[in-house]
Amino acid sequence: AQSVSQHNHHVILSEAASLELGCNYSYGGTVNLFWYVQYPGQHLQLLLKYFSGDPLVKGIKGFEAEFIKSKFSFNLRKPSVQWSDTAEYFCAVALNTGFQKLVFGTGTRLLVSP
Amino acid sequence: EPEVTQTPSHQVTQMGQEVILRCVPISNHLYFYWYRQILGQKVEFLVSFYNNEISEKSEIFDDQFSVERPDGSNFTLKIRSTKLEDSAMYFCASTLAGTFDEQFFGPGTRLTVL
């Protein structure tokens, strides 16, 4: 069965620090990859997605992610975080077929201190 | 910007009671989903729905659960006889094109079973 691992459950950074959140998945077929963010009190919002093409994808708010097929990874990065990036971040994977059921990682809670 | 809405935001019920969670997907979307997140755990897929029928369901989605699109706008999740372990946040999502599209999530309904 598909599974998604996020290795960092809680991350605390100071403003302007760089961020990298790890995401690995276990599935050998073609997948679509997503990062969702949930700000306090808000619903899940899409940060970025990868379906095909350039493995380095750029999303909203300065986030980017790199798909490394050989490592089954889709790590999220941001060069300089802001206090407003405090949120929970979820990596999700879907099979590139069918009705695209999302399989989520456990989430990473990011706290950015001003 | 169009968004997915869910009602109620919080539902408290007694064990054994039936509950109906309501969702209004984005109006031109064709694929609908329910997910749930038990406190401290992953977001888990429950069911996907397309063309007025279930397209896929998880092991969690047993005979106690049902979904319906009773009219052109609502998408409901019914739990016939709630159990304590059904306490969770339930998220509705919708998408226009299924496989190659992002899912838009609602704000969730927190279900508490006493």
Side-chain angles (χ1 to χ4, degrees):
Chain A
Q2 280 179 284
S3 68
V4 179
S5 300
Q6 290 182 244
H7 312 296
N8 316 99
H9 298 296
H10 289 92
V11 173
I12 301 173
L13 294 173
S14 300
E15 275 195 313
S18 65
L19 171 72
E20 181 159 3
L21 301 182
C23 173
N24 288 88
Y25 64 94
S26 65
Y27 182 70
T30 304
V31 293
N32 297 332
L33 299 156
F34 305 82
W35 276 96
Y36 280 85
V37 62
Q38 188 171 29
Y39 297 103
Q42 297 188 28
H43 55 275
L44 287 161
Q45 301 171 43
L46 184 71
L47 266 184
L48 46 78
K49 61 190 177 188
Y50 174 80
F51 290 161
S52 65
D54 188 344
L56 184 63
V57 292
K58 295 194 184 300
I60 60 172
K61 305 187 182 189
F63 286 91
E64 64 178 34
E66 185 175 12
F67 171 50
I68 303 180
K69 190 174 181 180
S70 60
K71 294 185 178 179
F72 297 90
S73 70
F74 189 56
N75 292 353
L76 181 72
R77 299 194 291 250
K78 185 170 183 178
S80 175
V81 295
Q82 300 172 305
W83 175 79
S84 57
D85 294 323
T86 294
E88 190 156 16
Y89 293 80
F90 295 91
C91 181
V93 173
L95 292 179
N96 191 7
T97 183
F99 296 95
Q100 193 158 249
K101 144 187 111 172
L102 291 174
V103 177
F104 282 86
T106 49
T108 297
R109 206 173 281 275
L110 171 67
L111 175 63
V112 179
S113 57
Chain B
E1 186 176 319
E3 58 183 23
V4 177
T5 58
Q6 289 185 244
T7 53
S9 56
H10 192 187
Q11 171 99 45
V12 180
T13 190
Q14 295 292 325
M15 193 169 54
Q17 294 297 303
E18 174 183 287
V19 294
I20 298 176
L21 309 184
R22 290 184 166 79
C23 169
V24 179
I26 294 173
S27 63
N28 62 339
H29 283 188
L30 301 174
Y31 300 79
F32 313 110
Y33 309 81
W34 283 101
Y35 294 84
R36 80 171 185 191
Q37 186 179 27
I38 294 171
L39 190 62
Q41 297 186 25
K42 295 185 183 188
V43 177
E44 302 172 288
F45 168 79
L46 290 178
V47 65
S48 58
F49 191 86
Y50 169 73
N51 201 25
N52 280 320
E53 59 183 28
I54 290 173
S55 47
E56 187 174 358
K57 59 184 180 179
S58 71
E59 293 172 355
I60 303 165
F61 195 89
D62 61 22
D63 292 343
Q64 293 300 313
F65 291 87
S66 62
V67 288
E68 194 177 33
R69 189 154 162 80
D71 52 42
S73 59
N74 290 284
F75 179 51
T76 62
L77 174 69
K78 184 194 290 188
I79 309 175
R80 260 181 274 283
S81 178
T82 49
K83 308 186 196 75
L84 294 176
E85 54 265 36
D86 293 327
S87 294
M89 186 73 116
Y90 288 80
F91 295 103
C92 173
S94 70
T95 184
L96 176 60
T99 300
F100 295 103
D101 200 2
E102 69 174 274
Q103 291 180 28
F104 290 80
F105 282 81
T109 293
R110 182 167 296 285
L111 176 65
T112 302
V113 182
L114 302 176

